[in-house]
Amino acid sequence: MKSKNVQSVIKRLYASGFPELYDIEYLLGLEKERDLELLFGFADKVRREFCGDGIIVRAIIEFSSFCRNRCLYCGLNRHNKNLKRYRLSKEEIMAAVKEINAAGIKTIVLQSGEDDELDVFWLSDLVREIKGNYDIVVTLSVGERSKGEYMIWKDAGADRYLLKIETSDETLYRCLHPEMSFENRINCSSALRALGYQIGSGCIVGLRGQTIPMLARDIMFFKEEDFDMLGIGIFIPHENTPLGKEPLGSMDLTLKTLAVTRIVTKNTHLPATTAIGSLGGTIKALNAGANVIMLNFTPEPYRDLYEIYPGKNCLNNESLTNIDNLEAITYEANRWINYSAGDSLKYKHTLCAFE
Ligand code: SF4
């Protein structure tokens, strides 16, 4: 085994096109405050080198909370009978899009559970209407569908797609996602890429049964697949799920996963995720490699009903204050708000090693 000096491992990981699993595991296992400062500080430098100091702002509309699945960690699972479900009308969504456009935001994420009632042409009409009326990028996040449906939405103008793997460990994936198929998840991701979508994945840190070697392999998977965007979330137990009594995920481990992901994947867009933000970790994430923030424009009274986990908080409750809060956060992080569409950086940058 090679040297385990923290700095040398970080630099080796940064410089290597083919990172070693044991280096990633080693960094994920760091605990001393000084070592964490080194790791987060280096990730912050890599973020600055490849993504700049602008914090890209995106807007999300959660338009349906119906879901056919029963992921063990998610409050939208179909067995949660305590949740009031909703679907937004096209008019409600377009009103939110108008608000997003007025706020100067150039990316909109349309997200839902895997809703069996979601009509492929209803969504393609919606995408077409948005693209026809606004100069705005549309990201879809509606789960596993057929390649034909993905194609129809791409033809309508959809630009990007989020489909998180949550864990790249097939056995753990099967435990957490009853009735779902790891293989289909991978196939969907490949189909989306083949159709020309910019694609996003990501994982949840702190899941029951998850180990550091598994998280290290998640990061290797992210590197191999070369995703355009990656969301590193933290497990927050929801009482109306089978994992409701499990402990909260570790914030330190989540930030380490984010930081190592930044060092390994370089120019991937990495949000300070909503899950991290709901635990007060947004600034820490921005200082450990994150370069994106998502603002929630789901209209009231629906916003609180999209309860993947309790206390979900996209910075706050109404659009204007959202921007105000974002400004406060960027100021505190000594950064600035990037209102561009924030396209993938995957095709632009070449490696330039630190001294
Ligand atoms: S994680 Fe997604 S697919 Fe799974 S239950 Fe929640 S909304 Fe449905």
Side-chain angles (χ1 to χ4, degrees):
M1 187 157 304
K2 296 174 191 168
S3 153
K4 285 302 182 199
N5 172 281
V6 176
Q7 279 206 7
S8 67
V9 172
I10 291 174
K11 285 184 179 174
R12 186 163 68 225
L13 206 54
Y14 171 80
S16 169
F18 303 94
E20 299 285 0
L21 257 182
Y22 53 75
D23 281 344
I24 298 177
E25 285 177 26
Y26 172 75
L27 294 179
L28 293 179
L30 295 178
E31 285 185 349
K32 288 187 194 144
E33 203 167 315
R34 174 74 194 129
D35 293 341
L36 295 184
E37 276 171 20
L38 276 175
L39 176 64
F40 298 156
F42 196 93
D44 196 41
K45 277 201 247 175
V46 178
R47 186 269 311 152
R48 182 173 303 123
E49 181 192 359
F50 285 88
C51 309
D53 278 337
I55 298 172
I56 297 169
V57 55
R58 316 223 195 260
I60 186 166
I61 303 172
E62 298 149 334
F63 67 91
S64 167
S65 64
F66 285 86
C67 189
R68 64 180 169 223
N69 294 326
R70 51 190 186 95
C71 308
L72 264 51
Y73 47 83
C74 177
L76 300 194
N77 78 80
R78 72 168 192 263
H79 285 179
N80 181 4
K81 303 296 180 204
N82 295 321
L83 187 67
K84 195 171 163 216
R85 308 278 171 165
Y86 70 89
R87 286 187 189 95
L88 297 188
S89 67
K90 195 173 276 182
E91 291 69 32
E92 286 171 313
I93 296 171
M94 288 308 292
V97 173
K98 189 175 176 189
E99 220 182 316
I100 290 163
N101 184 63
I105 299 171
K106 292 286 180 205
T107 299
I108 176 174
V109 182
L110 297 174
Q111 188 170 78
S112 71
E114 290 201 6
D115 184 351
D116 279 330
E117 303 286 310
L118 175 63
D119 181 80
V120 59
F121 296 109
W122 178 87
L123 186 55
S124 62
D125 286 350
L126 176 65
V127 170
R128 223 172 247 115
E129 191 169 338
I130 294 170
K131 299 290 287 190
N133 285 287
Y134 300 102
D135 175 22
I136 211 160
V137 166
V138 173
T139 302
L140 298 179
S141 176
V142 300
E144 297 176 23
R145 307 285 293 214
S146 70
K147 186 168 183 182
E149 289 169 305
Y150 291 150
M151 191 184 300
I152 288 169
W153 297 330
K154 189 80 182 72
D155 286 346
D159 304 276
R160 305 176 187 154
Y161 205 100
L162 302 179
L163 188 71
K164 288 176 70 185
I165 192 77
E166 310 300 10
T167 172
S168 65
D169 186 277
E170 189 168 353
T171 306
L172 182 61
Y173 184 93
R174 264 193 267 116
C175 292
L176 295 168
H177 304 95
E179 300 161 31
M180 293 176 76
S181 149
F182 185 77
E183 192 187 0
N184 193 50
R185 196 86 177 165
I186 300 285
N187 289 343
C188 283
S189 203
S190 305
L192 289 160
R193 189 190 292 282
L195 288 167
Y197 284 92
Q198 292 174 35
I199 55 174
S201 186
C203 64
I204 301 174
V205 178
L207 291 163
R208 183 176 71 189
Q210 187 183 54
T211 61
I212 283 192
M214 285 179 191
L215 278 172
R217 285 197 296 275
D218 286 347
I219 295 172
M220 290 292 268
F221 171 76
F222 298 153
K223 168 80 178 167
E224 285 156 14
E225 294 294 320
D226 203 22
F227 292 105
D228 303 289
M229 311 164 271
L230 290 166
I232 310 296
I234 179 169
F235 171 70
I236 300 175
H238 187 300
E239 62 174 350
N240 296 322
T241 67
L243 300 187
K245 300 251 182 307
E246 294 294 314
L248 179 69
S250 153
M251 179 62 81
D252 271 357
L253 183 55
T254 307
L255 294 172
K256 283 185 276 185
T257 306
L258 172 67
V260 177
T261 301
R262 167 61 70 207
I263 293 166
V264 169
T265 70
K266 311 284 188 303
N267 58 358
T268 312
H269 288 310
L270 302 179
T273 54
T274 313
I276 290 177
S278 71
L279 298 172
T282 299
I283 300 276
K284 286 181 184 165
L286 289 171
N287 289 333
N291 71 317
V292 175
I293 277 187
M294 190 97 79
L295 299 184
N296 194 336
F297 281 73
T298 308
E300 295 292 1
Y302 307 109
R303 191 178 303 175
D304 293 341
L305 299 178
Y306 200 85
E307 198 185 56
I308 298 171
Y309 49 82
K312 190 166 67 72
N313 169 18
C314 277
L315 294 184
N316 101 61
N317 294 323
E318 50 102 12
S319 311
L320 183 62
T321 322
N322 262 338
I323 298 287
D324 287 349
N325 275 4
L326 180 58
E327 281 175 357
I329 281 171
T330 48
Y331 181 77
E332 195 178 336
N334 202 18
R335 310 262 281 276
W336 50 275
I337 305 176
N338 179 348
Y339 282 100
S340 77
D343 267 320
S344 174
L345 300 170
K346 285 292 164 186
Y347 320 102
K348 293 183 183 166
H349 217 293
T350 51
L351 180 66
C352 149
F354 288 124
E355 290 304 308

